[in-house]
Amino acid sequence: GPPYHRGLPAGAQLIEAILALLFGLVIGSFLNVCVHRWPRGRSVVKPRSHCVRCRKTLAWYDNIPIVSYVLLRGRCRHCGRHISIRYPAVELITGLLFFFFVWTLGPTAAAIKMCVFSAIALGLTFTDLEKRLLPDQLTLGGALIGFAFSLFVPVPDFTGSAILWMFGAGEVTGRWQWIVESACGALLPALFLWGGGWLYEKVRHREGLGLGDVKLIAMVGSFLGLRYALATLILGSLAGSILGYGYIKATGKDPSTYPLPFGTFLGVAALAVALAGPKIPGWYTGL
């Protein structure tokens, strides 16, 4: 069974994880609304869910996560137009992520924190992929949420505290350490990434990095701490360089003008790092 409560029957553990999965499906459905509307400057509250083609309002039975998509065979009931596969994909991935974190961490504040983080990272991944935009509601708002979590959920890092100690600030322990790790995790990688973008612009005389990517890595660091944010940055940069360049070459696009969705690579990397969990410090030690 999961490490957090081996004393419970396996059935009870599974029920908790399945409930988290079902809740994740609902959150995934809401994420789809955010992915579509926030880059377009629209409210996620009004109007009600509707077909983006014919604008007809969807009935409740046409808005059940995954089930409705399957029953409708991926088409709008009213106009028959194709519904993007992104909708069930986001719902399913969110549900599975919620299942994983509750299965491994239990129904705890730490699991809630990781579920919230994974939902934000997934929303940013698909928003940047579709519209090349990273909404402040998810980046800056997510960073504030991550910092708020640090007030009562430990941040899995000690680097920020070590940096303060090296500069003579003394030892930081307890809840203050969690806050320091969240703040350093948000600020230092973001400044590093912003500096790289600023240097590129000075050398090449064109923008090579949007501020949305800087805010995204700040969000990651506020939740996970400095080491995990740097791991996200390294993994996302490698994936963006290799896979992005491969896609550009395969499709014959111009590398100097094609807007690579770097935020998508960072989002996927952040999810991979969150899923890998405690293995990350071991990788650092090996390097």
Side-chain angles (χ1 to χ4, degrees), residues 5-245:
H5 56 177
R6 295 185 183 276
L8 287 181
Q13 302 172 24
L14 183 60
I15 289 174
E16 292 171 351
I18 290 175
L19 289 175
L21 184 147
L22 296 175
F23 184 67
L25 294 177
V26 176
I27 296 300
S29 180
F30 177 69
L31 271 182
N32 277 317
V33 177
C34 299
V35 169
H36 178 75
R37 296 190 185 184
W38 271 340
R40 295 170 172 83
R42 300 175 186 171
S43 169
V44 296
V45 179
K46 294 181 180 179
R48 288 175 50 194
S49 296
H50 56 272
C51 174
V52 298
R53 311 284 187 176
C54 65
R55 317 300 293 180
K56 292 285 188 180
T57 300
L58 300 181
W60 67 267
Y61 47 79
D62 286 340
N63 209 24
I64 302 173
I66 297 180
V67 175
S68 295
Y69 186 90
V70 173
L71 294 178
L72 292 171
R73 298 181 180 179
R75 295 188 177 276
C76 173
R77 182 186 298 275
H78 303 285
C79 65
R81 299 287 293 277
H82 175 68
I83 301 172
S84 171
I85 192 65
R86 184 254 294 167
Y87 288 89
V90 169
E91 292 165 354
L92 180 59
I93 296 171
T94 307
L96 292 176
L97 288 168
F98 279 36
F99 178 94
F100 173 83
F101 288 119
V102 172
W103 175 254
T104 55
L105 300 174
T108 60
I112 294 173
K113 171 183 174 178
M114 296 310 300
C115 287
V116 172
F117 170 76
S118 63
I120 294 173
L122 189 63
L124 289 166
T125 297
F126 279 92
T127 302
D128 197 47
L129 183 62
E130 287 193 4
K131 300 299 293 183
R132 302 299 192 272
L133 287 172
L134 296 166
D136 286 345
Q137 293 93 329
L138 291 174
T139 54
L140 294 180
L144 290 175
I145 293 172
F147 186 75
F149 267 114
S150 73
L151 300 176
F152 55 91
V153 181
V155 178
D157 204 348
F158 58 84
T159 315
S161 304
I163 292 174
L164 289 181
W165 178 82
M166 290 171 59
F167 282 93
E171 185 178 3
V172 181
T173 60
R175 197 177 304 274
W176 283 108
Q177 182 182 0
W178 308 345
I179 296 172
V180 167
E181 298 303 338
S182 178
C184 288
L187 294 175
L188 297 183
L191 287 173
F192 177 79
L193 187 59
W194 175 83
W198 177 84
L199 184 62
Y200 179 91
E201 186 174 356
K202 291 297 181 181
V203 173
R204 299 298 298 274
H205 304 292
R206 66 168 182 262
E207 185 180 68
L209 184 72
L211 280 179
D213 300 314
V214 176
K215 299 171 189 175
L216 189 157
I217 207 65
M219 183 278 295
V220 174
S222 72
F223 273 90
L224 304 182
L226 179 59
R227 288 185 299 171
Y228 288 78
L230 291 177
T232 297
L233 187 55
I234 293 170
L235 183 59
S237 298
L238 288 174
S241 299
I242 298 171
L243 298 179
Y245 183 72

